[in-house]
Amino acid sequence: MKRRTLPVATAFAATTALLLTACGGGGDTPKANDKIAGADRGRTASASPSASPSGDADRPEVTLPKDLSDKFENWSTGNAAKDAVLADVGRRVDATNYAIAEGDAELPALGFYYSGTALADAGDWVTSIVKSGYSITGVNRYYNAKIDLFDSASAGVVYCEDQSKAFAKDRKSGKVIKTAVTAKSYVLYSTRLEKNKKGVWQTTKLTSQRGHKSCTP
């Protein structure tokens, strides 16, 4: 398959169209699309990675609903600086999925972990999902994270997402929409992060590519 990288804005716009047709573990995923949510290695965790928060930032509380979880595999390198970046990538992923579950594109957590055009795109993407009448349920798995520290305040992270066990859910009826798992159920993300004055690694750019060979089984 040819490599095709979508800017996050384009990915968000495409999300609604793919919502009921793109992936799903035996089902479809609302987040089943090229999404912000993020790259994302030995250990598996059910919420954000457990690395200690950096800086003195008063971080927003993010609690995913019981029917939704984000799993981060091997989300640790043993290098404190790199792990701090990965931890905030994981928290950004959780914050995004939390905003979708809550149906709130203005959720403070989004502005905490995104900045610039990436923040605007994240808000638009959450809004598009909510307006379509859907939420998300199931398990999203993030793996194969690779990180580059450019300097003390900027970094790049590439990672994969497995949406085969995540599904779209009708907000009103609660019905879960399931479709067949395909190569498009696996997404490659490429992100840029910058460390703000509070010590938070915010995502400033994000692109995604579905069905990339580095992510598919």
Side-chain angles (χ1 to χ4, degrees), residues 32-151:
N33 216 348
D34 303 338
K35 166 194 99 163
I36 56 184
D40 324 5
R41 291 28 250 211
R43 183 182 51 184
T44 299
S46 312
S48 300
S50 58
S52 299
S54 57
D56 300 320
D58 184 11
R59 294 171 182 273
E61 182 177 349
V62 172
T63 303
L64 296 178
K66 292 182 179 179
D67 67 335
L68 176 65
S69 63
D70 293 331
K71 302 290 186 179
F72 300 88
E73 292 186 357
N74 303 324
W75 216 250
S76 170
T77 66
N79 177 289
K82 290 184 176 181
D83 287 348
V85 177
L86 285 178
D88 276 344
V89 169
R91 295 182 183 109
R92 184 260 296 164
V93 169
D94 282 347
T96 304
N97 291 336
Y98 179 55
I100 294 171
E102 292 291 301
D104 185 2
E106 300 297 323
L107 203 70
L110 291 181
F112 196 88
Y113 293 110
Y114 287 96
S115 66
T117 56
L119 174 58
D121 289 337
D124 288 345
W125 184 71
V126 171
T127 297
S128 71
I129 296 297
V130 175
K131 285 187 174 180
S132 294
Y134 295 98
S135 182
I136 52 178
T137 187
V139 179
N140 296 288
R141 182 172 69 95
Y142 302 90
Y143 56 102
N144 287 353
K146 296 178 178 59
I147 178 171
D148 284 318
L149 289 176
F150 304 136
D151 53 44

Side-chain angles (χ1 to χ4, degrees), residues 159-207:
Y159 61 99
C160 297
E161 179 187 14
D162 171 5
Q163 300 174 342
S164 65
K165 294 182 180 179
F167 316 101
K169 180 176 71 172
D170 187 279
R171 281 188 180 277
K172 291 184 178 180
S173 69
K175 179 181 179 180
V176 176
I177 296 83
K178 295 186 175 182
T179 60
V181 178
T182 70
K184 288 187 177 181
S185 300
Y186 303 90
V187 188
L188 175 68
Y189 294 98
S190 179
T191 65
R192 179 181 174 85
L193 299 98
E194 296 180 10
K195 190 175 183 179
N196 66 16
K197 293 181 179 180
K198 294 182 177 180
V200 179
W201 285 93
Q202 294 182 307
T203 294
T204 58
K205 293 182 181 179
L206 186 156
T207 61

